[in-house]
Amino acid sequence: MKMNKVSLIVGSILILLLIGVSVLLVSEKQTNRELTQEFELEKEDLENQYTTFAKQYDELKLTVSNDSLSVLLEQEQRKTQRLLEELRTVKSTNASEIRRLRNELASLRKVMIGYINQIDSLNRLTAQQREIIADVTEKYNTASATISNLSQEKKALNQKVTLAAQLDATAIEVTPLNKRSKKTKRIKNIVKLKIDFTISKNITAETGERTLYVRIMKPDNDVLSKNASDVFPYENRELRYSIRKYIEYNGEEQPVTVYWDVEEYLYAGTYRVDIFAEGNLIGTGDFTLE
C-alpha cells in the first residue's frame, strides 16, 4: 500500500516535470519565432533605407553641374548599392552582419548630409552668379539697345543729309524737232528730241562737276541707246543710258538741255524720261507721240 502511494507521487512529479518542460519548449519556440520575425523586419527596414539612399543619390546628381562632385556622388551611390546587395544576401538571424551594415548606413547618412550641405552651398553660389550674370546681361542689352538706337538715328540722319544733298531734276520737257530744228507733231518728221529740265537750287549739295545720265524709254520699255556699252551703275546693277551730260554745278538753279538724234523707228505711244546723278534717280517725266 505504501509502495503504491510512493509510485503515485513519483509519477505525478514526472508528469508535472514533463508538462513544465513542454511549456518551456513551447515558450522558447514562440520567443524564437518572435525574434526571427523581429530580425526579418529589421533587415527589411534596413533594405528600404539603403534603397532610399540609392535613389537620393540619383536625385542629388541631377542638382549638380560640378563634374568632380558628380564623380564623388557616383562613387557613394555605387558603395550604397554594393552594401545593399550584401544586406540582401545576409540571413536575418546574422545579428553581427546586420549590426555592421546598420553602422555602415549611419556612416553613409553622415556622408550624404555633407554632400547635401556642399550642394546647397554651391547652389546658393550659383544663384548669386546667375543674378550677377542676369544683371550684367541686362546692362549689356540696355547698352546694346542704346547703341543700336544711336546707330539707327545716325543712319537715319545720314540718309536725311544724303537726301538733302541729292540733286533734283524738275520741269522735264521733251520737244520733238524736225530737220529744220522746228517743233513737229508728225512722228515720221522727227529727227531729234530736245530734252529740257532744271537742276534745282540746293545749298547743301556739293558743288563741282557732275555727270547726268538720261534714259529715254519707249512704250515697250526698251531703252533708246547708241551703244550696248553705254551703261552706268545703279543699285548694284548696270543700266543703259541714252545721253550722258557733264555739268558744273554751283548749288544754284541750273537749266540743262540735251538732245537725242533719232536714228531708230519711233512709234506712237507714251515715252518716259528718267534722269540719274551719282547713283540716284533725280527726276522722271513722260511725253506722248501720236
Side-chain angles (χ1 to χ4, degrees):
M1 189 70 178
K2 188 176 182 179
M3 287 295 295
N4 290 337
K5 188 176 181 179
V6 170
S7 298
L8 181 61
I9 292 171
V10 171
S12 298
I13 292 172
L14 290 174
I15 291 172
L16 289 173
L17 289 173
L18 182 61
I19 292 172
V21 170
S22 298
V23 169
L24 288 174
L25 290 174
V26 170
S27 176
E28 183 178 355
K29 186 174 182 181
Q30 179 65 28
T31 300
N32 289 337
R33 185 182 299 112
E34 290 176 355
L35 287 173
T36 299
Q37 291 177 349
E38 184 178 344
F39 289 151
E40 289 177 352
L41 290 173
E42 183 179 7
K43 179 183 176 184
E44 183 179 350
D45 177 63
L46 205 55
E47 285 184 15
N48 290 336
Q49 292 187 56
Y50 269 107
T51 302
T52 300
F53 261 67
K55 291 180 179 179
Q56 286 177 338
Y57 276 113
D58 275 330
E59 295 173 358
L60 284 176
K61 287 190 295 184
L62 294 175
T63 64
V64 299
S65 57
N66 184 289
D67 293 338
S68 299
L69 188 55
S70 295
V71 171
L72 293 175
L73 289 173
E74 181 68 28
Q75 291 175 352
E76 287 300 317
Q77 185 181 34
R78 285 200 296 267
K79 181 179 179 181
T80 302
Q81 291 171 337
R82 176 176 57 79
L83 291 172
L84 176 60
E85 293 302 320
E86 289 183 19
L87 177 62
R88 287 171 176 168
T89 60
V90 171
K91 292 183 178 180
S92 59
T93 56
N94 193 334
S96 62
E97 277 299 295
I98 295 294
R99 189 180 304 110
R100 179 183 69 83
L101 291 170
R102 185 172 291 281
N103 291 335
E104 290 280 6
L105 182 62
S107 298
L108 290 174
R109 184 177 286 108
K110 291 180 181 179
V111 172
M112 176 173 282
I113 291 173
Y115 282 133
I116 290 174
N117 292 334
Q118 188 175 352
I119 291 169
D120 184 58
S121 177
L122 287 174
N123 286 342
R124 285 199 301 271
L125 179 62
T126 303
Q128 292 175 354
Q129 291 173 336
R130 282 198 296 267
E131 289 178 3
I132 294 172
I133 291 172
D135 183 58
V136 172
T137 301
E138 182 179 359
K139 290 179 180 177
Y140 171 78
N141 290 337
T142 300
S144 296
T146 301
I147 292 172
S148 178
N149 289 337
L150 290 175
S151 178
Q152 291 297 326
E153 290 176 5
K154 181 180 178 182
K155 184 178 179 180
L157 181 60
N158 288 338
Q159 288 176 341
K160 290 180 180 179
V161 171
T162 301
L163 288 173
Q166 181 178 301
L167 297 182
D168 188 24
T170 62
I172 300 172
E173 184 178 354
V174 179
T175 304
L177 302 177
N178 59 23
K179 61 182 179 180
R180 294 193 302 274
S181 297
K182 299 293 183 179
K183 182 178 179 179
T184 181
K185 293 183 179 181
R186 303 185 65 179
I187 293 179
K188 68 177 183 178
N189 292 334
I190 298 174
V191 298
K192 189 172 294 188
L193 295 174
K194 179 187 177 185
I195 304 170
D196 296 296
F197 56 91
T198 299
I199 300 297
S200 301
K201 179 179 179 179
N202 191 336
I203 60 174
T204 62
E206 184 179 351
T207 59
E209 186 180 85
R210 301 296 183 90
T211 303
L212 307 179
Y213 295 96
V214 179
R215 275 167 54 96
I216 306 171
M217 301 182 68
K218 296 191 293 186
D220 61 0
N221 289 327
D222 186 25
V223 180
L224 297 179
S225 180
K226 300 298 184 186
N227 195 313
S229 63
D230 291 342
V231 295
F232 67 98
Y234 178 70
E235 294 185 349
N236 300 318
R237 56 197 176 107
E238 291 188 331
L239 297 181
R240 295 177 65 185
Y241 64 84
S242 306
I243 306 166
R244 181 171 58 188
K245 175 72 173 179
Y246 298 103
I247 65 170
E248 190 69 27
Y249 185 67
N250 59 8
E252 298 296 327
E253 183 175 283
Q254 183 173 340
V256 180
T257 299
V258 294
Y259 295 90
W260 173 258
D261 293 326
V262 178
E263 299 174 349
E264 57 282 297
Y265 172 74
L266 298 180
Y267 51 90
T270 299
Y271 291 69
R272 193 174 82 239
V273 175
D274 292 331
I275 303 171
F276 296 81
E278 299 175 326
N280 298 306
L281 176 62
I282 65 171
T284 187
D286 57 61
F287 63 100
T288 302
L289 298 179
E290 298 177 353

